[in-house]
Amino acid sequence: MLFGSSIIHLTTVDSTNNYAAKLLKENLLSSGAVILADVQTAGKGQRGAQWEAKAGENLLFSVVLRHVNMSVGDQFVLNQLSALAITDFLGKIGISAKLKWPNDVFVGDKKIAGILVETNVSGAQIKDVIIGIGLNVNQSDFNDLRATSIFLEGGSLSTIDEVLNELLKGLTTRWLMYQKEGKDLLLHYYLENLLGYQELRNYTIEGNEVEGKIEGLDEWGRLLLKIGSETKAFDLKEISYCW
Ligand code: BTN
């Protein structure tokens, strides 16, 4: 399966994920197709948030995978491999990035990329997948947002087309690795890059600051945090990193 088998480049769209979903419904996209946009008027983030990016300065795209036939329980694998493809690429251009669970990409305490995976499910199987990626490339001003870009971090490669090409290669590599080796190896690399893995740091849980150590993820992708001598599983709404 090749990521980037075809590329539709739009000047403006509401959201590349929405556009991909629309074309998928009409059966107009083959596996690996990319929707790329210069501007999104209603870019979507996780949990109903908006994704803001200055026009023409950042990479905004969605890539579609068709008929993947993965189990619904494995959806998190898609986030993991996408996040790893981004950190792999940033590493190659001299930017040391970390993954903030579940799938934000951070440089220090600033976000450089976000991922929104959406799926079509039939029974217990994932059929089609839309992986939406926003990567800050040339934007130099984020107002009050805790955000950064390749340009601000002094990365060595900065045209949006080059970044897209490299990222599509990286996604293909990580996808093939998952197909060949399965999800355990992917999890191993994910944990290796995870902010706070096996380190004592503070998290906010039910409004309280708690010290804990990330020990791993459970089979549903929940965060396993050791607090004192007890390890508990948390989902996204229950825990956040403290800075
Ligand atoms: C997040 O961190 O909240 C996820 C952000 C995902 C943003 C990308 S930009 C391209 C694609 N289209 C969207 O509407 N969202 C994703």
Side-chain angles (χ1 to χ4, degrees), residues 7-20 22-23 34-40 56 60:
I7 298 183
I8 299 175
H9 188 164
L10 306 167
T11 313
T12 306
V13 71
D14 56 348
S15 147
T16 56
N17 271 34
N18 287 354
Y19 193 83
K22 207 158 52 196
L23 295 193
V34 167
I35 311 294
L36 171 71
D38 297 340
V39 186
Q40 293 184 127
L60 305 165

Side-chain angles (χ1 to χ4, degrees), residues 15-17 40 43-46 51 61 104 111 114-115 132-134:
S15 147
T16 56
N17 271 34
Q40 293 184 127
K44 297 193 292 185
Q46 295 166 60
W51 184 256
F61 76 102
D104 290 335
K111 184 158 163 169
I115 301 159
I133 294 181

